[in-house]
């Protein structure tokens, strides 16, 4: 049985290691956007603790998962599957300045994280759509 890394084919038909990173990051970034929006919505809730996803840790886990996991493939027509997305642990944000009501949401920081995450999400969307556009063009040229 041949062992293949979890991967996808690039435009030349060669196996590209670490494939599907942007697809998985897209779902992580969407989840993070919801977490940040929840923080903003609860900015006036007493004792609410702001949460966030540690993006560098998740990105590293996704990168390592694509590079180290492998599946057995018994036939060339079998599909290469996506590796599972590592669970994104929700961490508590440590406020720079504490609030009297125990709320740890700092609106300026949350707005900046929201905007930064939106830019990262748009980048990932561009990467994913660019990949599929390239694959569509490749398939169209074969016909």
């Amino acid at each position: 049985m041949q062992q293949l890394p979890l991967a996808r084919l690039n435009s030349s038909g060669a196996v590209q290691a670490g494939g599907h990173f942007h697809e998985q990051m897209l779902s992580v970034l969407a989840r993070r956007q919801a977490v940040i929006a929840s923080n903003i919505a609860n900015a006036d809730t007493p004792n609410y603790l702001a949460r966030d996803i540690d993006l560098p840790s998740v990105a590293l886990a996704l990168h390592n998962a694509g590079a180290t996991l492998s599946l057995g493939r018994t036939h060339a027509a079998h599909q290469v599957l996506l590796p599972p997305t590592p669970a994104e642990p929700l961490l508590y944000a440590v406020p720079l300045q504490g609030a009297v009501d125990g709320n740890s949401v700092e609106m300026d920081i949350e707005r900046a994280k929201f905007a930064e995450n939106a830019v990262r999400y748009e980048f990932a969307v561009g990467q994913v759509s660019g990949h599929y556009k390239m694959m569509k063009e490749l398939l169209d040229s074969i016909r």
Side-chain angles (χ1 to χ4, degrees):
M1 177 170 26
Q2 182 184 9
Q3 295 289 322
L4 292 176
L6 290 174
R8 65 176 167 213
L9 300 179
N10 64 20
S11 60
S12 65
V15 173
Q16 177 180 335
H20 308 294
F21 173 82
H22 291 290
E23 290 94 331
Q24 292 176 324
M25 257 331 259
L26 197 59
S27 66
V28 172
L29 291 169
R31 171 87 170 109
R32 184 173 187 238
Q33 200 74 347
V35 169
I36 296 169
S38 176
N39 290 344
I40 292 170
N42 286 290
D44 294 327
T45 304
N47 298 316
Y48 180 82
L49 300 176
R51 310 285 302 264
D52 200 358
I53 293 173
D54 184 14
L55 280 184
S57 296
V58 172
L60 182 61
L62 286 175
H63 177 72
N64 289 341
T68 60
L69 293 178
S70 64
L71 292 176
R73 201 165 134 176
T74 58
H75 191 273
H78 290 169
Q79 295 292 317
V80 178
L81 302 174
L82 289 172
T85 304
E88 327 71 61
L90 286 177
L91 305 175
Y92 289 100
V94 178
L96 297 175
Q97 182 175 345
V100 175
D101 65 355
N103 187 307
S104 68
V105 176
E106 296 176 307
M107 285 301 292
D108 292 337
I109 292 173
E110 295 301 320
R111 280 191 287 260
K113 286 195 295 190
F114 192 88
E116 175 198 2
N117 198 68
V119 170
R120 288 177 187 264
Y121 184 85
E122 289 300 318
F123 175 77
V125 166
Q127 293 295 308
V128 171
S129 65
H131 169 73
Y132 287 109
K133 180 181 177 188
M134 181 182 67
M135 294 303 290
K136 181 183 179 309
E137 290 171 358
L138 177 67
L139 292 173
D140 288 343
S141 70
I142 293 172
R143 291 184 202 166

